[in-house]
């Protein structure tokens, strides 16, 4: 489908900030700050290079890179030029990258310098003459006047997690991102003097959301410094906002050993932190208590690529609830299934010559997520509709069982899946990822099936308890999410 434009022209947020606070830091890399004025000049220089190369509005530029300042500059240059910024994780195998580019019609690509040493990837790309490398000089600066843009035009395409089949590419406009950031700011205040640690990859919607939030607020994006521990960087760069999963927070507050650099009373790395957005499921009571002692506001959220990141947000709770609906979003639950619409809703999945936006007749998007509202009006996610299976005539939702298993102190992650059974059709089984730090301090190894059966007795119904347990397989991931089908396939191969 074709997305209509309002023809309303605006300045990109980074240009607005360059006019309002030219010397304020736009991003910080390896401890060095770069101002909004310099970022503006870097971005304008890139747009001029795009023109010289022959890239035009509507072209799709695959950017194969880990987080780096060049990737941030490319995003804003694409916003200015009408070119689709299409980041791809370098963790994908070369053949997967080629297939993704061909599937989504990415005809141009840029490689981060570190990826140029990957001879397999470079050779694979060079063997496809229809794919054109885009050489760019990131040292150039330009003082040419900035151009206005249409906020409703597509600016990026983010690959979905791809839990089944080839990942789709979800396209967004700057207007989508602005609405997402506005809703986020209702609970998580972000000001010009603040800084947000870019701990999520830019090929993930959560990472891209940080760039947009900071640019709109005039705040500073802080790139991770791999030469420092997280605790050391929080102190050096005076990070005020950060996004973490439970395991990272655990390591920060309770390091595994004395040699690990975590927070401590003498050197509290969280002293200047104003807000923390937590992901990865329910947060333990112990961790929340530690944050409460430090008077740090911690939030959890439900979000998805197609809605530009956050949909609901609330104060972090041990029950794993995801808070209340933010403005600019609409959400309804029908038969336990979540449907969405609103200002944040994406333009559609990339098709050969446009976008495919799958909506029902009333304009609602089916998320395939299951959920309900609790007594306080907080959204609780119950799992994915496409993960459910039937055992002996009973519906089994794997996420419910996984949440119960992860309450065990020795289990850091779990995936539940069906195994064939002559009597019941299928029975639930589970693969367990153990908490190595706690194993080292424990005389026990992997919990025995009998122990887990007893542990789950008061948490889930008897027919939902796994009948078999398997060790967590060695699998690589191209994103920040565990791909269920990849893990399950590895377990089945190893059985």
């Amino acid at each position: 489908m074709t997305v209509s434009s309002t023809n309303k022209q605006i300045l990109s947020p980074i240009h607005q900030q360059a006019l309002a606070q030219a010397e304020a830091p736009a991003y910080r890399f390896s401890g060095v700050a770069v101002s909004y004025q310099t970022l503006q000049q870097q971005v304008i220089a890139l747009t001029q290079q795009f023109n010289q190369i022959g890239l035009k509005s509507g072209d799709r530029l695959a950017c194969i890179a880990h987080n780096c300042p060049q990737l941030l500059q490319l995003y804003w240059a694409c916003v200015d030029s009408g070119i689709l910024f299409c980041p791809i994780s370098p963790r994908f195998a070369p053949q997967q990258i080629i297939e993704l580019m061909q599937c989504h019609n990415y005809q141009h690509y840029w490689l981060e310098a570190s990826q140029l040493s990957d001879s397999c990837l470079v050779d694979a790309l060079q063997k496809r003459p229809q794919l054109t490398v885009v050489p760019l000089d990131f040292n150039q600066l330009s003082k040419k006047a900035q151009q206005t843009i249409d906020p409703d035009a597509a600016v990026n395409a983010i690959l979905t997690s791809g839990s089944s089949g080839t990942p789709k590419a979800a396209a967004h406009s700057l207007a989508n991102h602005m609405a997402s950031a506005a809703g986020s700011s209702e609970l998580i205040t972000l000001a010009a003097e603040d800084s947000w640690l870019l701990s999520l990859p830019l090929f993930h919607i959560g990472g891209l959301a940080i760039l947009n939030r900071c640019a709109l607020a005039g705040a500073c994006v802080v790139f991770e410094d791999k030469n420092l521990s997280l605790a050391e960087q929080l102190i050096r760069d005076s990070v005020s906002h950060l996004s973490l999963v439970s395991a990272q927070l655990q390591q920060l507050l309770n390091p595994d050993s004395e040699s690990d650099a975590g927070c401590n009373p003498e050197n509290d790395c969280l002293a200047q932190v104003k807000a923390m957005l937590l992901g990865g499921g329910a947060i333990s009571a112990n961790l929340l208590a530690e944050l409460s002692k430090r008077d740090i506001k911690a939030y959890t959220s439900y979000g998805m690529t197609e809605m530009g990141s956050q949909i609901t947000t609330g104060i972090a709770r041990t029950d794993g609830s995801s808070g209340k609906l933010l403005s600019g979003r609409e959400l309804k639950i029908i038969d336990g299934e979540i449907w969405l619409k609103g200002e944040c809703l994406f333009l559609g999945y990339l098709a050969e010559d446009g976008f495919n936006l799958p909506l029902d007749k009333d304009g609602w998007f089916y998320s395939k997520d299951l959920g309900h509202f609790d007594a306080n009006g907080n959204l609780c996610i119950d799992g994915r509709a496409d993960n459910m299976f039937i055992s002996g005539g009973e519906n089994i939702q794997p996420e419910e069982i996984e949440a119960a298993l992860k309450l065990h102190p020795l289990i850091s992650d779990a995936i539940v899946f069906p195994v064939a059974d002559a009597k019941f059709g299928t029975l639930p089984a589970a693969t367990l990822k153990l908490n190595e730090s706690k194993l080292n301090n424990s005389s026990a190894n992997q919990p025995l099936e009998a122990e887990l059966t007893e542990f789950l007795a008061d948490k889930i119904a008897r027919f939902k308890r796994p009948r078999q347990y398997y060790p967590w397989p060695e699998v690589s991931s191209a994103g920040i999410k565990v791909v269920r089908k990849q893990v399950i396939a590895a377990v089945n191969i190893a059985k």
Side-chain angles (χ1 to χ4, degrees), residues 343-408:
E343 299 170 21
C344 304
L345 184 63
F346 71 137
L347 303 179
Y349 299 114
L350 287 190
E352 185 174 347
D353 57 354
F355 312 109
N356 174 29
L357 183 56
L359 304 177
D360 73 1
K361 61 182 179 62
D362 296 316
W364 288 90
F365 174 75
Y366 176 42
S367 71
K368 296 184 182 178
D369 288 324
L370 304 176
H372 68 276
F373 289 104
D374 67 15
N376 297 314
N378 293 308
L379 181 67
C380 300
I381 301 301
D382 298 323
R384 291 280 294 176
D386 47 7
N387 290 335
M388 190 186 75
F389 60 92
I390 297 174
S391 176
E394 298 282 359
N395 290 343
I396 303 289
Q397 194 61 49
E399 289 87 349
E400 178 192 4
I401 307 169
E402 291 160 6
L405 284 168
K406 285 187 281 188
L407 293 173
H408 194 287

Side-chain angles (χ1 to χ4, degrees), residues 83-104:
I83 296 167
L84 257 68
F85 173 75
C86 306
I88 298 179
S89 169
R91 295 178 182 174
F92 282 121
Q95 186 56 39
Q96 288 178 293
I97 292 176
I98 299 296
E99 290 173 358
L100 285 167
M101 291 178 65
Q102 292 175 333
C103 175
H104 300 304

Side-chain angles (χ1 to χ4, degrees), residues 156-398:
N156 70 269
I158 296 291
L159 296 174
T160 59
S161 57
S163 58
S164 61
T166 301
K168 297 177 182 178
H172 302 86
S173 67
L174 184 60
N176 292 152
H177 295 308
M178 292 169 68
S180 176
S184 175
S185 67
E186 292 172 353
L187 287 179
I188 305 176
T189 304
L190 187 64
E193 65 270 16
D194 293 331
S195 57
W196 201 308
L197 183 68
L198 187 62
S199 53
L200 304 175
L202 289 174
F203 50 78
H204 186 277
I205 194 64
L208 198 63
I210 293 173
L211 296 197
N212 289 292
R213 290 185 205 122
C214 286
L216 288 160
C220 178
V221 175
V222 179
F223 285 87
E224 279 191 296
D225 191 333
K226 300 300 184 182
N227 295 315
L228 299 177
S229 70
L230 177 57
E232 291 169 336
Q233 185 172 13
L234 294 181
I235 295 171
R236 185 194 69 183
D237 293 330
S238 298
V239 172
S240 62
H241 293 65
L242 66 160
S243 305
L244 297 176
V245 296
S246 181
Q248 290 174 304
L249 180 59
Q250 173 71 38
Q251 181 63 26
L252 197 59
L253 296 177
N254 302 300
D256 292 342
S257 67
E258 293 181 1
S259 61
D260 290 333
C263 292
N264 56 68
E266 294 78 27
N267 191 20
D268 189 356
C269 66
L270 295 173
Q272 78 290 338
V273 172
K274 298 178 180 179
M276 191 179 291
L277 188 57
L278 303 175
I283 309 301
S284 73
N286 290 339
L287 290 180
L288 292 181
E290 286 292 327
L291 291 176
S292 179
K293 289 179 187 176
R294 294 170 164 83
D295 196 27
I296 294 174
K297 292 182 178 178
Y299 302 88
T300 52
S301 179
Y302 163 61
M304 65 188 310
T305 301
E306 289 86 348
M307 286 290 285
S309 191
Q310 291 166 266
I311 300 169
T312 66
T313 301
I315 296 296
R317 303 175 188 276
T318 55
D319 61 8
S321 59
S322 302
K324 294 179 172 61
L325 192 66
L326 300 173
S327 68
R329 294 90 161 145
E330 295 180 60
L331 183 153
K332 67 178 181 179
I333 299 176
I334 301 176
D335 296 330
E337 299 176 329
I338 296 174
W339 293 75
L340 302 158
K341 65 161 61 172
E343 299 170 21
C344 304
L345 184 63
F346 71 137
L347 303 179
Y349 299 114
L350 287 190
E352 185 174 347
D353 57 354
F355 312 109
N356 174 29
L357 183 56
L359 304 177
D360 73 1
K361 61 182 179 62
D362 296 316
W364 288 90
F365 174 75
Y366 176 42
S367 71
K368 296 184 182 178
D369 288 324
L370 304 176
H372 68 276
F373 289 104
D374 67 15
N376 297 314
N378 293 308
L379 181 67
C380 300
I381 301 301
D382 298 323
R384 291 280 294 176
D386 47 7
N387 290 335
M388 190 186 75
F389 60 92
I390 297 174
S391 176
E394 298 282 359
N395 290 343
I396 303 289
Q397 194 61 49

